[in-house]
Every structure is written in C-alpha cells, then in structure tokens.
Amino acid sequence: MLARVQSCAVLGIDGYPLAIEVDNYPGFAQYFLVGLPDAAVKESRERVGSALKNSGFRYPRGTVVINLAPADIRKEGSALDLPIALGMLAASEQISGVRFNDYALAGELALDGSLRPVAGALSMAIASRDRGLRGIVVPEANAEEAGVVPGVEVIPAATLSDAVAFMSGVQEVLPFHTDMQAVLEQAHRNIPDLTEVKGQAHVKRALTVAAAGGHNLLMIGPPGTGKTMLASRLPGILPAMTFEEALETTRIYSVANGVKEKGNLIVRRPFRSPHHTATTVSISGGGAGQQPTPGEVSLAHHGVLFLDELPEFNRSALEVLRQPLEEGLVHIRRAMYSVTFPSRFMLVVAMNPCPCGCRTDPKRQCRCSVGEVQRYMGRLSGPLLDRIDIHVDVPALSFEELTDRRPSGPTSAEVRQQVQEARDRQRARYNGAFICNAHLDSKAMREHCATGESASRILEQAINQLGFSARAYDKVLRVARTLADLDGVEDIRDNHVSEAIQYRSLDRQLF
C-alpha cells in the first residue's frame, strides 16, 4: 500500500515542504530510502524500527520503499523520523491517516518511542502555514517555539503513540499557543545594570547614543577600565524586541548548532562575544557540512556582536564583517548550497591602545616600541574602522571613582526609556523604511540629515583637518541625527555635529 505524509525541512533559516512517500508491498524483506538522504536520515531505519516495536506496533513486512520529495534537495537531520514512522504504519495498514493531508509532522524518535526536539521547528511551522496546512505535529519541547506562529495549529506530542492517535483521528489534542505577553515581560529581567559600572560617564553617553541610533562602537583603553562591563550592559538599554524581531531571531537560533537558547523563544536581544581565536567560518556562517549553519554575525541579529581584544582576531575573520555591516545580510555560497542569513547587528569592539595596554595610561609607562605599536595597530584595516560610527576613549579610573559607593549615573531602565523615545521618533520619521538612523541610505540622508550653514562649516573644517573619508562623513551625519533625536528636536544643530565629530576624532590620534 502507498502512503503519503506531509513534513518540512530547513535550508538556511527558511523552511520548505517535504512529502514522505512510503510504499509497502509483498516480496523480500528489503528497505530502500531515496531522495538524497544524509547519514542521519539513513540511520532513521534503526531508530524507527526500535520505536515501532517498543510502542506496540510491528515493522512492515516485505519491501519498504521511502521517497523524500522533492528528491533533488539534500535532506539532513533527524526531524524526518516521525513522518517516516507514520508513513510506514499507514503503508502497512496498521493505522488510518485521516489527518495526513491537513497536518505536517516533524520529530526525532528515541528507541522507546518518545519524541526528542529538533532544530528549525519555528521555520517548519511557518512553512506549514504558508503551504496552507491546518497545523503541524512537533515534540513537546518544540511547542513553545513553534506556538508563536499565528494561523497554524501546533500539536505537541510526547511519544510516537500520541502522534499516531492524533493523526488517526482517535484522540483530540488542543493546539499549543505561546503566551507572548508573558514571555516578552521577561526580556529585561536579571540584566546587569549600567549603574554597576563605576565612573566613565562619557562612555555611558556614547553607549546611549549608539543604542539610540543603532551605531557601531569602538572602545579603546588600558586593561581593567571596564570596557567589557560596559559592552555587556548594552543589551539592557536597547529597546525591547518587537514580535517580528523576536520571531526572526528565534528562527536563526532554532537552526543553529550548539547554542543553549535552541528550542526557546528569543525575546532578549542577543549578545554574542566570540573568542578572538574564532575562525572565519564561525564568524560568517556556513560550515563544511551539507546543511549551512548561521555564524556569529547572524546569531547577533537584532542584538550586539562584541569583539574584545579586536587586534587579536584573525584578519580574514574581521574582513568578513564588511558585507554584514553594510547590507545587514551575509551571503554564503558553497559547492552544495547557496543561502543568505540575516545579520543586522550592532558591532561593539574593544581594544588596548598598544600590546602592553599602557600607552594612554598616565600612571603607567608603556614598554612597547614604536614598531610594536605600529604592527599592533596595523592588524586593523582602515575600511573596517571606517564602518565603526563612534570611537571613544576609556581611561583608567581614579581611586575616588573606584571607592565611590553611590550609584554611578542613570539606571539601565532610565537610559532605555531615552533610547526608546529616540527610536520611536525614528520609526515615525521613516515610516517603516528604516529601523534606525544607522541604516539610512544616501537618499534618506539627504532628506533627513540636512544641516544649517554654521554646522556645515564645522563639518568642512573637520574634513579638511582630520581627513575624513566619504563614509566617515556619512557616519558623522547619522550620529548627529541620533543626537538630535535624543534631544527631541528635528533640526541638526551645531552642538550635535560637534559631538558627532568628537566621536570620530579619537582614531586619528591613536591610529
């Protein structure tokens, strides 16, 4: 008998529909699995066989032929265990598939018949909805993740028997719906507060400006001045994620390998801090396997990518940041696939001013030679530094600042309110065309970043004296636009331009 079961697979972060066709007919006991399965899919035979036996079913007699359609796309992972198992049961006439045309199936089977979570459940739920299916059956551990998709029923199943009972029409199961309001309320709980960082008022101001406009930030200073502490508190002052942002970010984490957030709805803005030994592929994404996985630039989507000890990173790993910073996308092309991952993030980098770190410290003498400093700074390319909007010095703290027990500056909640108000002004101004000022293109800048005559003269002097590139000039205007939004005014004034130029002048002194 021939049976046909609906399922889904994931390529990149996008789900696509699959049909599992199972034919069981008399003959020798043979098993054929076709449709470009990888090793994990081929091994489903043993998992499915044991799960069927331990769940009270029998393995089909005779010849079993399973086709994974479309047959020209490589199939990976263990999510096809459940649809293959139900297809075999229907083809051997052990169950009736009254709901096979209305619901998709996805899940990994344990040998005892229980269901384990799979990667990409959110993308699969979206693909099922877009295909016009009524719903999708997923393991219980994936229910919260898939349950955020509107317009599709998410049916949680704990075991193979539960899935069989539902798909046969024997048992009714209430669809799972994720309580988005309750989940979003947890976004800013237990996040480190900005007041915990002693002193550094001007750096906190730079963080506020960066968060308000989505600008990239470079912090330079001796070791132990709080650069990492400041960066880790940036997600706490960013606006809360919208439902669309949370959905897109969760899709990325759902298909990623080796991340602890897999299977959960991502409602906090990501903060990714890869080690300086990270490879180019781990930063950009891809991988040697047939199934591409997102890299750090995509895992930081709608959040922060923090690179500590910037000059210690591999030069090629840093250069792959150029395209994501400009386009908000990373295109990965390999022999077996070509995918595009979203990668719209804030880049925050920290570094010492020299190999020993004491070059700008007034109380400690630098031991580095001129050649050592030049080689250290030479690890960073000019085009990459040009793509960083704000440069700020992080000096060593005095004894009075270190021992001051009073709260240092505004709290993260207070700063987040200022940032949210500035972002609201930007959303209203651009009417959905751009999320924040850092994303403005040339046409939008001419329209929304016009300056008065005196501010233009200040810009002219800065370009002539500091040698700004065309990209640096655009960055200054975008930052000035953000400063005006923080002040709640529409016109870019002289003080906004002057402060924006100050955030670009530090690199000319140090590099």
Side-chain angles (χ1 to χ4, degrees):
M1 179 180 176
L2 178 65
R4 193 169 189 270
V5 183
Q6 309 290 334
S7 186
C8 296
V10 178
L11 181 61
I13 64 168
D14 298 318
Y16 62 93
L18 278 182
I20 313 298
E21 300 171 336
V22 183
D23 193 11
N24 180 214
Y25 53 86
F28 293 107
Q30 300 181 88
Y31 179 91
F32 301 99
L33 179 61
V34 297
L36 290 182
D38 75 336
V41 180
K42 292 178 182 178
E43 290 172 354
S44 64
R45 174 181 180 178
E46 284 69 27
R47 291 193 297 272
V48 169
S50 293
L52 291 176
K53 177 183 176 181
N54 293 319
S55 298
F57 303 101
R58 64 172 174 83
Y59 194 85
R61 301 185 179 93
T63 300
V64 177
V65 180
I66 302 174
N67 179 42
L68 312 177
D72 60 340
I73 302 178
R74 188 80 174 177
K75 318 302 186 307
E76 287 195 349
S78 56
L80 299 182
D81 289 1
L82 182 60
I84 288 175
L86 266 77
M88 293 173 68
L89 291 175
S92 58
E93 299 183 344
Q94 297 183 62
I95 65 171
S96 63
V98 296
R99 288 173 169 161
F100 279 7
N101 293 327
D102 298 326
Y103 290 86
L105 292 147
E108 176 185 335
L109 283 171
L111 299 187
D112 62 355
S114 60
L115 286 175
R116 291 173 174 158
V118 296
L122 177 58
S123 298
M124 294 178 188
I126 295 174
S128 301
R129 180 196 62 187
D130 295 343
R131 192 181 183 183
L133 297 179
R134 184 175 175 180
I136 182 172
V137 179
V138 298
E140 284 184 336
N142 290 119
E144 180 181 3
E145 172 190 338
V148 303
V149 181
V152 64
E153 295 181 3
V154 174
I155 307 299
T159 64
L160 171 62
S161 299
D162 293 341
V164 168
F166 176 78
M167 296 299 288
S168 301
V170 176
Q171 179 179 338
E172 294 294 331
V173 179
L174 292 176
F176 186 94
H177 296 286
T178 303
D179 187 352
M180 282 300 302
Q181 186 62 33
V183 174
L184 289 173
E185 287 176 355
Q186 302 175 5
H188 290 289
R189 292 181 182 177
N190 302 322
I191 292 182
D193 199 273
L194 202 59
T195 57
E196 297 169 359
V197 182
K198 300 292 185 180
Q200 310 295 11
H202 69 291
V203 186
K204 295 177 181 179
R205 167 68 173 175
L207 282 175
T208 304
V209 176
H215 302 290
N216 303 319
L217 175 68
L218 166 67
M219 294 183 286
I220 306 177
T225 55
K227 300 186 293 294
T228 303
M229 285 187 65
L230 287 161
S232 65
R233 280 146 181 80
L234 185 55
I237 66 174
L238 288 170
M241 296 181 75
T242 64
F243 174 74
E244 291 75 15
E245 290 174 339
L247 200 64
E248 189 171 22
T249 304
T250 303
R251 288 175 64 193
I252 297 172
Y253 276 77
S254 179
V255 302
N257 290 328
V259 293
K260 63 181 180 180
E261 293 88 349
K262 183 185 293 185
N264 299 322
L265 182 65
I266 308 298
V267 295
R268 291 184 179 181
R269 293 195 179 271
F271 181 81
R272 303 295 300 182
S273 180
H275 193 260
H276 61 78
T277 57
T279 63
T280 302
V281 172
S282 68
I283 295 292
S284 63
Q290 303 293 337
Q291 179 68 23
T293 57
E296 294 293 341
V297 294
S298 298
L299 294 173
H301 188 55
H302 292 312
V304 178
L305 177 62
F306 176 55
L307 304 182
D308 201 4
E309 304 295 343
L310 184 66
E312 302 299 333
F313 279 81
N314 186 296
R315 178 86 177 238
S316 61
L318 293 179
E319 293 307 309
V320 301
L321 297 174
R322 292 195 197 180
Q323 183 189 49
L325 288 174
E326 290 292 328
E327 301 180 16
L329 299 168
V330 57
H331 306 287
I332 301 173
R333 186 176 295 276
R334 299 290 186 268
M336 298 297 295
Y337 59 79
S338 177
V339 298
T340 298
F341 289 121
S343 56
R344 180 70 73 182
F345 57 90
M346 283 181 60
L347 176 65
V348 179
V349 298
M351 59 177 291
N352 298 329
C354 65
C356 76
C358 301
R359 184 181 169 200
T360 58
D361 192 335
K363 298 180 180 179
R364 290 186 290 179
Q365 185 175 359
C366 179
R367 304 186 304 270
C368 305
S369 66
V370 175
E372 288 175 334
V373 174
Q374 289 177 343
R375 285 191 295 272
Y376 182 75
M377 294 299 182
R379 298 176 188 175
L380 307 178
S381 68
L384 177 62
L385 292 173
D386 245 4
R387 286 170 167 82
I388 299 178
D389 310 51
I390 298 174
H391 308 142
V392 61
D393 180 31
V394 187
L397 296 174
S398 65
F399 176 78
E400 289 76 14
E401 290 175 314
L402 287 172
T403 56
D404 189 358
R405 297 184 177 275
R406 294 173 298 177
S408 180
T411 65
S412 291
E414 294 170 345
V415 175
R416 186 168 63 249
Q417 182 62 33
Q418 300 175 25
V419 170
Q420 184 67 64
E421 292 173 357
R423 287 286 185 102
D424 290 342
R425 294 187 188 97
Q426 293 166 48
R427 289 181 183 274
R429 181 188 302 120
Y430 307 132
N431 196 24
F434 302 97
I435 298 176
C436 53
N437 291 326
H439 304 161
L440 296 179
D441 57 21
S442 300
K443 180 180 178 181
M445 284 183 58
R446 289 194 298 269
E447 181 179 354
H448 300 291
C449 297
T451 58
E453 184 177 347
S454 59
S456 298
R457 285 198 299 268
I458 296 174
L459 278 170
E460 181 182 2
Q461 293 174 1
I463 291 175
N464 293 334
Q465 295 178 11
L466 299 175
F468 284 165
S469 66
R471 182 181 288 113
Y473 170 77
D474 290 345
K475 298 289 187 185
V476 168
L477 286 179
R478 293 188 182 103
V479 173
R481 175 70 272 168
T482 299
L483 291 166
D485 290 334
L486 282 170
D487 288 345
V489 298
E490 194 61 31
D491 298 330
I492 299 177
R493 299 173 182 173
D494 295 1
N495 62 307
H496 302 142
V497 173
S498 299
E499 186 175 351
I501 292 172
Q502 173 193 335
Y503 290 136
R504 293 292 305 187
S505 61
L506 183 62
D507 64 323
R508 304 300 164 181
Q509 303 169 20
L510 291 174
F511 292 92

